[in-house]
Amino acid sequence: MTISQYSLVLFILIVAVIVAGDAANVTYDGRSLIIDGKHKILFSGSIHYTRSTPQMWPSLIEKAKSGGLDVIDTYVFWNIHEPQQGQFDFSGRRDIVKFIKEIQAHGLYVCLRIGPFIQGEWSYGGLPFWLHNVKGIVFRTDNEPFKYHMKRYAQMIVKLMKSEKLYASQGGPIILSQIENEYGMIARAFRQDGKSYVKWAAEMAVELETGVPWVMCKQDDAPDPVINACNGRKCGETFQGPNSPNKPAIWTENWTSFYQTYGDEPLIRSAEDIAFQVALFIAKNGSFVNYYTYHGGTNFGRNASQFVITSYYDQAPLDEYGLLRQPKWGHLKELHAAVKLCEKPLLSGLQTTISLGKLQTAFVFGKKANLCAALLVNQDDCEATVQFRNSSYLLSPKSISVLQDCKNVAFNTAKVNAQYSTRTREPRQKLSSPHMWEEFTETVPSFSETSIRSESLLEHMNTTQDTSDYLWQTTRFQQPEGAQSVLKVNHLGHVLHGFVNGKFIGSTHGTFKAHRFLLEKNVSLNNGTNNIALLSVMVGLPNSGAHLERRVVGSRSVKIWNGKHSLYFNNYSWGYQVGLQGEKFHVYTENGAAKVQWKKYRDSKSQPLTWYKASFDTPDGTDPVALNLGSMGKGEAWVNGQSIGRYWVSFHTSKGNPSQIWYHIPRSFLKPSSNLLVILEEEREGNPLGVTIDTVSVTEVCGHVSSSHPSPVISQRRKGHNRKKQRHLKHQYDKRPKVQLQCPNGRKISKVMFASFGTPNGNCWSYSVGSCHSPKSLAVIQKACLNKSKCSVPVWSKTFGGDSCPQAVKSLLVHAQCS
């Protein structure tokens, strides 16, 4: 071998070693995932690329990383990537490769949930509607047509990931994949075929050779080597565990709140409850927790499933706009840091459980005295004092204390150190003048103007093929003489608007839980020919349950009663029109708007189904922008041709509130000025003069911490903690609980609205000075915090000049304004 040949071989070997070094070997055992030979406890958060914008992705991912996450989890949305069979789209918000590479650039891992059925409150559960038309298909069972298309799609996604070297085995960030989704919820409907399908799906996934493990959630019988995982709010209590001693305990969906449907109030889940369940799952050998969702985002366009509002999981640690939802974000950040302090003993392989009382338990980890961690669990609704390793601990109600060294409490799930924040919407432009608006009203089609005909009532989804929410169905009949009659329509669906002889007679609708309803209205009939027009409206496709392909929406029976006899129209000749004229012409775009005749805005409306058009300038600054539609009824809104989603303000909750008023307009949708706003309003009562362009920001922060709180975990881990010069002072400071306030987006604390060290009454939302109060409270806080973007004040009597009531447990409550 010549020197040059030897050098070439050596160079190739070096390159091979470098490439192999970049790749990660991901396996697992009964304790956790193992990455490059190291067991890992991993915290993950769901962020869906389609529910935000590419411009938002870097900030969302960075905030997730700052919150202590190791992994970003996302579904893959089949119906947006292959809207028509064989036609693929990975552009804009659909650019999943760009999204995953952005995650990798931030140094985080990825859990890729391929599905292809995902549910996720997404239209048709993520399945493309064209799949419904495949001959002989039955979704999600041992059905050859479905399996063929599912396999083809899964292969395509995996091939795309491999081509971009995105699997950990190739040096990429993807360490985990999911096939199917919550199949255990419907498996019984398919009996043996369901079991065969699960086995086939698992084998198909493994044969794709991604080099990383696969999971199935809510699938207790997930076949080896696929890992069965838990979904829900309380997997620390409900999960029966892995179905093999060689599989780790994985929590794929820890619901940080819950999706909201029109007519329902939001479900609020506290930071304390989430932290308790996560800590309990870790105590019971859990090693992977994914928050569903960490950022919910926005259901742009028509992508929300039936009756689901446009805002998605706004109560997540990052809200719809990407702002920190405090204290949820901060409290979970501290939990993650506390658990990571305990990672070595937690993964050591030795766990013992000690009863400390009827509802109190210690979970102890570690093999050596100097490598020990414990989680003290109090399941009682009352506080409890327990003895553990010759020390006494007061456990808060329904709490878990994390002891990183089996002695000192690093974190307590019930004691929140993180600040509370208040989100405010500020009107920046009012569209209150009639001259700002133009309108275009839909015409009600007659039978003769329709092109689709049938001798019976047609099903809505089969007819529209998901090209529109709207389906007109019309018929005509002869009436020998004018008469007052009653029109009765039994409908199965979402919304129905009725018209007789071109005049609006009324509307009615179903709910998320009740899709059957009756439209019953008095009508005046003409002598001679009469026309009935019914507009069936869907508010999203169904997204869950067995036999999704069999779902039916539409009018089931139509009749007119004239006081003497009924005239039934089920077998009459019906004419159909898919969609509205405005949709056909794309009037929400600059070019489309020029194709119709707009009129000046009129204050009085006799007919519904009106398009409104206006323009506005983009608010200054970087705060998120929202469209306030509180004065409107029901419909959809577009900005510069992009749909920001459906709205239904007129559908109130049991408390009399709209489910959603503000609708996110990503700044990437906007131009500096003259932005085109088009609103489709279905109802007569909608008033565009009340619409405003708002900005969203955090304007107030509050901290409420007692002397019994552990010190913030983050401060315990500061690098400066061990420096010799400041060691003693820094150690004293860092070990004390403290109120920490921070204003976001370059804002500063401009005013201290309340400050009390002592025994303040109430909480951050309602407070007053208590029986014990330091008169220096306000001055101390003002000196420490005013005109600063952040400040930290120890809960310590010396900070406030002494202790006038030494017997009382002290608290510090501070409420400040950011501007």
Side-chain angles (χ1 to χ4, degrees):
M1 181 182 289
T2 65
I3 293 177
S4 60
Q5 288 173 324
Y6 177 82
S7 299
L8 178 61
V9 170
L10 182 62
F11 173 75
I12 292 172
L13 287 172
I14 291 172
V15 170
V17 169
I18 292 172
V19 172
D22 288 341
N25 180 31
V26 184
T27 58
Y28 63 81
D29 61 14
R31 186 63 189 96
S32 73
L33 291 179
I34 305 170
I35 302 176
D36 285 339
K38 295 181 180 179
H39 288 81
K40 296 281 188 179
I41 290 179
L42 298 171
F43 294 105
S44 170
S46 290
I47 300 177
H48 299 153
Y49 55 101
T50 56
R51 284 176 161 136
S52 54
T53 66
Q55 292 75 16
M56 295 171 66
W57 294 343
S59 174
L60 295 174
I61 295 165
E62 179 56 38
K63 288 173 182 175
K65 182 178 181 179
S66 297
L69 296 194
D70 310 288
V71 185
I72 301 297
D73 166 291
T74 185
Y75 284 130
V76 186
F77 299 78
W78 187 359
N79 56 9
I80 66 161
H81 292 308
E82 193 179 6
Q84 302 298 323
Q85 188 172 358
Q87 298 178 15
F88 299 98
D89 188 352
F90 290 93
S91 64
R93 292 198 308 275
R94 302 166 182 83
D95 194 344
I96 186 173
V97 169
K98 182 177 180 179
F99 179 67
I100 293 175
K101 287 184 176 180
E102 188 67 47
I103 297 169
Q104 184 178 25
H106 283 78
L108 300 181
Y109 298 122
V110 173
C111 173
L112 193 67
R113 305 175 74 184
I114 291 177
F117 172 82
I118 60 170
Q119 189 167 329
E121 295 68 62
W122 192 261
S123 179
Y124 223 42
L127 301 178
F129 195 81
W130 58 259
L131 203 65
H132 169 277
N133 301 323
V134 173
K135 185 178 180 180
I137 199 164
V138 182
F139 294 172
R140 304 175 70 201
T141 187
D142 193 4
N143 171 266
E144 292 305 320
F146 182 76
K147 292 194 297 182
Y148 168 79
H149 286 285
M150 175 175 169
K151 182 176 181 179
R152 178 187 60 82
Y153 171 73
Q155 288 174 329
M156 184 269 293
I157 294 298
V158 169
K159 183 179 179 181
L160 176 63
M161 297 298 110
K162 286 182 176 180
S163 71
E164 298 289 340
K165 293 182 169 45
L166 295 177
Y167 283 105
S169 55
Q170 303 172 290
I174 303 173
I175 59 168
L176 199 62
S177 290
Q178 179 179 303
I179 197 71
E180 249 295 338
N181 190 66
E182 296 188 342
Y183 190 74
M185 302 288 288
I186 66 164
R188 286 175 122 192
F190 297 106
R191 300 183 181 179
Q192 187 56 45
D193 283 347
K195 294 180 180 180
S196 300
Y197 167 70
V198 168
K199 185 174 183 294
W200 169 85
E203 291 174 350
M204 183 270 291
V206 173
E207 288 171 1
L208 294 173
E209 296 182 344
T210 62
V212 302
W214 288 87
V215 298
M216 282 182 168
C217 62
K218 281 195 175 182
Q219 193 64 50
D220 294 340
D221 60 349
D224 292 342
V226 177
I227 304 165
N228 62 300
C230 184
N231 283 5
R233 293 187 192 91
K234 298 183 177 182
C235 286
E237 298 176 16
T238 62
F239 188 43
Q240 298 301 307
N243 61 18
S244 163
N246 300 318
K247 297 178 183 179
I250 289 179
W251 191 351
T252 35
E253 288 188 15
N254 179 5
W255 303 330
T256 54
S257 59
F258 207 54
Y259 65 87
Q260 188 179 352
T261 58
Y262 290 108
D264 288 339
E265 291 284 340
L267 185 149
I268 308 298
R269 191 175 177 204
S270 71
E272 296 93 323
D273 179 53
I274 299 172
F276 177 87
Q277 289 297 330
V278 171
L280 187 60
F281 188 73
I282 297 295
K284 295 183 177 180
N285 279 324
S287 59
F288 184 104
V289 177
N290 177 63
Y291 298 103
Y292 191 96
T293 63
Y294 200 77
H295 170 258
T298 307
N299 289 313
F300 298 111
R302 299 169 47 248
N303 287 319
S305 62
Q306 60 186 9
F307 286 97
V308 171
I309 69 172
T310 295
S311 176
Y312 191 63
Y313 273 79
D314 184 44
Q315 296 293 325
L318 299 180
D319 71 11
E320 179 182 7
Y321 309 97
L323 302 175
L324 302 187
R325 172 73 67 182
Q326 294 281 36
K328 195 171 287 185
W329 182 87
H331 194 49
L332 295 178
K333 175 179 180 174
E334 288 220 336
L335 168 64
H336 304 152
V339 171
K340 290 303 176 82
L341 286 174
C342 308
E343 191 167 24
K344 284 187 178 180
L346 285 172
L347 295 172
S348 66
L350 182 64
Q351 184 214 47
T352 55
T353 303
I354 303 170
S355 175
L356 303 177
K358 188 175 181 181
L359 295 171
Q360 293 77 37
T361 309
F363 294 87
V364 187
F365 298 83
K367 296 179 179 179
K368 303 176 182 178
N370 62 348
L371 189 65
C372 182
L375 288 88
L376 308 186
V377 179
N378 180 17
Q379 292 275 17
D380 203 341
D381 292 329
C382 302
E383 65 180 22
T385 300
V386 299
Q387 296 296 317
F388 175 69
R389 295 202 170 189
N390 301 318
S391 294
S392 179
Y393 295 88
L394 178 63
L395 305 182
S396 301
K398 201 73 175 180
S399 72
I400 299 178
S401 291
V402 180
L403 284 58
Q404 82 252 32
D405 53 4
C406 284
K407 184 177 180 181
N408 296 297
V409 177
F411 179 82
N412 182 278
T413 60
K415 295 186 175 182
V416 177
N417 284 319
Q419 70 180 18
Y420 293 75
S421 60
T422 301
R423 187 176 69 179
T424 303
R425 281 102 166 181
E426 179 185 355
R428 301 293 292 273
Q429 186 174 349
K430 295 181 179 181
L431 304 179
S432 56
S433 175
H435 78 265
M436 292 179 170
W437 293 95
E438 293 179 283
E439 64 180 41
F440 163 68
T441 302
E442 290 280 331
T443 57
V444 180
S446 64
F447 177 81
S448 61
E449 294 171 323
T450 56
S451 57
I452 303 171
R453 301 293 169 84
S454 174
E455 297 304 312
S456 60
L457 294 166
L458 296 181
E459 196 275 331
H460 184 121
M461 291 186 291
N462 278 321
T463 309
T464 64
Q465 293 291 300
D466 193 32
T467 58
S468 172
D469 284 346
Y470 302 95
L471 177 64
W472 285 105
Q473 49 193 54
T474 68
T475 191
R476 60 190 175 190
F477 66 98
Q478 295 295 316
Q479 174 74 13
E481 57 184 20
Q484 285 293 320
S485 303
V486 179
L487 174 67
K488 292 184 178 182
V489 184
N490 282 295
H491 196 77
L492 178 62
H494 303 166
V495 179
L496 188 67
H497 303 297
F499 301 80
V500 172
N501 296 323
K503 294 182 179 180
F504 178 64
I505 61 165
S507 303
T508 190
H509 63 82
T511 67
F512 177 67
K513 295 180 180 179
H515 293 179
R516 292 183 180 272
F517 54 86
L518 173 68
L519 175 65
E520 183 174 358
K521 296 293 179 180
N522 294 323
V523 297
S524 296
L525 300 180
N526 297 330
N527 182 5
T529 302
N530 289 269
N531 285 280
I532 298 174
L534 303 172
L535 182 60
S536 174
V537 185
M538 290 198 69
V539 189
L541 296 185
N543 76 317
S544 62
H547 296 293
L548 198 59
E549 73 285 349
R550 296 183 188 175
R551 298 299 171 83
V552 174
V553 173
S555 298
R556 313 309 298 152
S557 68
V558 181
K559 71 176 181 178
I560 283 183
W561 168 253
N562 65 6
K564 296 180 180 179
H565 56 81
S566 295
L567 181 61
Y568 291 89
F569 293 91
N570 285 31
N571 296 318
Y572 262 55
S573 183
W574 286 88
Y576 290 85
Q577 174 185 302
V578 175
L580 304 176
Q581 288 177 304
E583 290 180 299
K584 177 183 176 182
F585 292 121
H586 301 102
V587 299
Y588 42 82
T589 65
E590 293 284 359
N591 291 336
K595 296 179 181 178
V596 300
Q597 187 65 46
W598 295 86
K599 297 180 180 179
K600 292 182 178 180
Y601 171 78
R602 295 180 304 161
D603 206 11
S604 60
K605 294 290 181 295
S606 60
Q607 290 283 78
L609 296 171
T610 299
W611 298 80
Y612 297 104
K613 178 166 72 77
S615 67
F616 67 93
D617 296 336
T618 298
D620 293 336
T622 59
D623 288 336
V625 181
L627 183 68
N628 183 338
L629 294 176
S631 63
M632 303 303 289
K634 180 187 181 300
E636 189 173 349
W638 292 260
V639 173
N640 294 328
Q642 300 203 61
S643 173
I644 60 171
R646 302 183 183 98
Y647 68 89
W648 198 351
V649 178
S650 62
F651 192 170
H652 288 187
T653 70
S654 59
K655 295 181 180 180
N657 303 314
S659 296
Q660 184 177 352
I661 290 177
W662 284 275
Y663 293 79
H664 183 205
I665 309 174
R667 282 191 173 264
S668 59
F669 285 14
L670 299 171
K671 303 179 294 183
S673 61
S674 301
N675 295 286
L676 175 65
L677 170 63
V678 176
I679 301 172
L680 167 62
E681 174 58 53
E682 290 179 31
E683 301 175 349
R684 289 190 294 187
E685 292 76 16
N687 177 16
L689 301 186
V691 172
T692 61
I693 309 299
D694 298 355
T695 53
V696 187
S697 60
V698 171
T699 55
E700 296 176 15
V701 292
C702 177
H704 187 196
V705 175
S706 78
S707 58
S708 66
H709 279 55
S711 61
V713 185
I714 310 306
S715 71
Q716 291 184 31
R717 302 175 71 202
R718 287 179 184 162
K719 292 180 181 178
H721 177 67
N722 291 320
R723 290 176 183 168
K724 290 182 179 179
K725 288 185 179 180
Q726 299 177 344
R727 187 171 183 179
H728 179 71
L729 185 61
K730 192 76 173 176
H731 184 69
Q732 290 285 336
Y733 180 88
D734 278 353
K735 287 196 70 176
R736 296 192 180 281
K738 53 184 66 71
V739 165
Q740 300 177 108
L741 303 179
Q742 182 169 0
C743 295
N745 296 338
R747 286 178 167 82
K748 293 183 177 180
I749 296 171
S750 57
K751 182 179 180 181
V752 178
M753 294 183 285
F754 180 83
S756 177
F757 175 75
T759 58
N761 299 315
N763 53 40
C764 275
W765 316 121
S766 177
Y767 46 72
S768 62
V769 170
S771 57
C772 176
H773 169 72
S774 169
K776 295 184 178 181
S777 297
L778 183 61
V780 169
I781 299 301
Q782 286 176 332
K783 182 178 179 180
C785 299
L786 274 182
N787 300 316
K788 297 178 181 178
S789 61
K790 61 181 178 180
C791 62
S792 178
V793 182
V795 183
W796 191 19
S797 57
K798 288 188 178 181
T799 306
F800 295 90
D803 190 349
S804 60
C805 40
Q807 302 305 316
V809 176
K810 306 299 187 300
S811 291
L812 174 59
L813 197 159
V814 181
H815 185 193
Q817 191 173 69
C818 297
S819 61

